[in-house]
């Protein structure tokens, strides 16, 4: 009886772990919004599977897409960095986002004038046309 209960518990936990990974699927195109210095900003994040690794790009209204670096998904948290170019300044921005279905939220962090500054970011996955 203990063996049956142990097997059921293991299968149940594996099912929950699988459901969590499915819930935290980052693949797709995300429309993101954030606020810096009282100004609302937007970006587009695109995540793809490249074999068994994740890859992607990020673009802004005033900057063409740039490739993401160090894209990782662990325990429902997506992390990566992207280079933002503003007035000939190259600013690496680190992102740490939590995915919940078709929504994401988290923080971006960049260094400005020797100070690391964080900002909140939220996004929604674009629906595919059928």
């Amino acid at each position: 009886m203990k063996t049956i209960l142990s097997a059921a518990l293991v299968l149940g936990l594996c099912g929950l772990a699988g459901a969590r990974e499915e819930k935290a699927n980052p693949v797709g195109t995300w429309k993101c919004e954030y606020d810096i210095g009282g100004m609302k900003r937007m970006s587009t994040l695109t995540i793809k599977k490249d074999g068994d690794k994740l890859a992607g790009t990020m673009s802004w209204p005033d900057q063409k897409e740039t490739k993401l670096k160090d894209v990782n998904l662990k325990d429902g948290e997506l992390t990566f960095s992207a280079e933002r170019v503003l007035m000939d300044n190259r600013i690496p921005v680190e992102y740490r986002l939590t995915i919940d279905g078709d929504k994401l939220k988290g923080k971006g962090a960049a260094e400005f004038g020797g100070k690391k500054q964080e900002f909140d970011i939220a996004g929604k996955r674009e629906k595919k046309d059928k």
Side-chain angles (χ1 to χ4, degrees), residues 45 60 89 105:
L45 170 65
W60 297 265
N89 292 312
K105 66 179 180 177

Side-chain angles (χ1 to χ4, degrees), residues 4-110:
I4 293 171
L5 288 174
S6 295
L9 181 62
V10 167
L11 290 173
L13 289 175
C14 289
L16 288 174
R20 181 177 176 130
E21 278 304 309
E22 187 175 302
K23 181 179 177 182
N25 177 15
V27 175
T29 300
W30 303 81
K31 293 295 183 184
C32 302
E33 294 183 354
Y34 55 100
D35 187 291
I36 294 180
M39 295 183 67
K40 191 173 188 174
R41 314 234 180 213
M42 300 179 76
S43 62
T44 301
L45 170 65
T46 303
I47 303 289
K48 297 177 182 178
K49 273 281 214 189
D50 185 11
D52 48 342
K53 293 185 176 188
L54 294 171
T57 60
M58 193 165 219
S59 61
W60 297 265
D62 62 345
Q63 180 182 339
K64 292 182 183 178
E65 67 184 28
T66 186
K67 286 186 180 181
L68 304 180
K69 297 177 185 172
D70 304 318
V71 184
N72 290 299
L73 178 67
K74 185 175 180 182
D75 298 328
E77 185 175 69
L78 179 67
T79 58
F80 60 90
S81 63
E83 188 174 73
R84 185 78 166 99
V85 179
L86 293 168
M87 299 185 297
D88 297 326
N89 292 312
R90 297 185 176 280
I91 304 164
V93 183
E94 298 171 5
Y95 293 89
R96 186 170 299 278
L97 308 169
T98 303
I99 298 170
D100 185 8
D102 287 334
K103 295 181 180 179
L104 63 76
K105 66 179 180 177
K107 299 260 184 207

Side-chain angles (χ1 to χ4, degrees), residues 112-123:
F112 297 105
K115 280 182 138 178
K116 193 168 193 171
Q117 297 182 349
E118 287 190 341
F119 57 91
D120 293 324
I121 184 169

